């Protein structure tokens, strides 16, 4: 730790002591390396659990909880690490369009499941195969709706860094 303290400026020591997030006033490359290291650590943990035959912990998150975590992380990234501003005030309101579209698609998918009287829980076995409504066009309109809402939130925030959360949501 003492060698690390000598090698890094004081503002970088915060990361070395295990807070996990790089300070907001550091360089872009240092922050990129920190986030990449964090992603590799999380990926390695999931891989280890899968290798032991256990179900990864991330699968236990149901999509709405993962969605809310992504929205919170998007706001945090916008505040701590905006990278660059993409859209200022009047133009960032275009994010309301994908939000409305996503809510509509997700609601239509949920109502189609309800009309078919089938299970809506993501990790339970389905009761029936639904091929009507929005399921004619997409395999899972509820996930598509959540991804569209996240895209709208990203546009409303107007920064580049929250885009990382959309990628995380789609991959997980």
């Amino acid at each position: 730790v003492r060698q690390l303290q000598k090698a890094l400026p004081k503002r970088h020591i915060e990361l070395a002591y295990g807070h996990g997030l790089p300070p907001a006033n550091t360089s872009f490359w240092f922050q990129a390396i920190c986030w990449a290291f964090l992603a590799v650590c999380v990926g390695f943990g999931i891989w280890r659990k899968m290798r032991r035959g256990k179900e990864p912990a991330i699968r236990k998150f149901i999509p709405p909880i993962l969605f809310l975590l992504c929205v919170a992380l998007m706001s945090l990234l916008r505040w701590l690490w905006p990278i660059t501003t993409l859209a200022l005030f009047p133009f960032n309101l275009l994010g309301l369009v994908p939000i409305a579209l996503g809510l509509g698609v997700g609601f239509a998918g949920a109502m189609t499941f309800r009309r078919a009287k089938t299970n809506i829980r993501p990790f339970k076995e389905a009761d029936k195969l639904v091929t009507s409504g929005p399921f004619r066009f997409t395999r899972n309109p509820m996930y598509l709706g959540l991804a569209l809402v996240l895209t709208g939130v990203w546009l409303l925030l107007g920064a580049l860094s929250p885009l990382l959360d959309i990628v995380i949501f789609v991959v997980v």
Side-chain angles (χ1 to χ4, degrees):
V1 173
R2 290 183 187 191
Q3 290 176 347
L4 188 62
Q5 286 176 340
K6 291 177 184 176
L8 294 173
K10 287 185 180 182
R11 65 182 180 188
H12 294 162
I13 299 301
E14 182 179 334
L15 180 67
Y17 280 107
H19 292 286
L21 296 174
N25 59 352
T26 57
S27 70
F28 168 76
W29 291 110
F30 179 75
Q31 290 182 5
I33 290 169
C34 291
W35 284 108
F37 178 72
L38 183 65
V40 167
C41 289
V42 169
F44 180 71
I46 294 170
W47 175 76
R48 268 187 41 202
K49 283 191 177 189
M50 289 174 68
R51 192 169 159 223
R52 291 180 188 161
K54 296 179 182 176
E55 184 176 319
I58 286 185
R59 257 197 98 166
K60 293 180 183 176
F61 283 123
I62 59 174
I65 292 174
L66 183 62
F67 168 77
L68 292 175
L69 287 173
C70 283
V71 169
L73 189 59
M74 287 173 90
S75 301
L76 188 68
L77 280 175
R78 169 65 173 104
W79 181 59
L80 291 177
W81 187 42
I83 297 179
T84 187
T85 303
L86 298 175
L88 295 175
F89 170 61
F91 301 109
N92 68 342
L93 294 179
L94 288 173
L96 295 174
V97 173
I99 288 174
L101 186 63
L103 290 174
V105 168
F107 183 73
M111 291 309 295
T112 305
F113 262 27
R114 185 170 294 228
R115 271 184 256 133
K117 296 181 181 164
T118 187
N119 182 22
I120 198 167
R121 303 279 314 243
F123 299 115
K124 304 264 181 172
E125 194 169 320
D127 300 328
K128 297 177 185 175
L129 178 65
V130 179
T131 57
S132 61
F135 289 93
R136 291 178 295 176
F137 307 108
T138 179
R139 183 175 175 186
N140 197 330
M142 279 93 52
Y143 285 116
L144 178 63
L146 291 175
L148 283 170
V149 171
L150 282 177
T151 304
V153 170
W154 170 60
L155 291 173
L156 278 175
L157 291 173
L160 183 61
S161 57
L163 180 62
L164 176 68
D165 293 319
I166 298 172
V167 174
I168 289 172
F169 181 80
V170 169
V171 169
V172 172

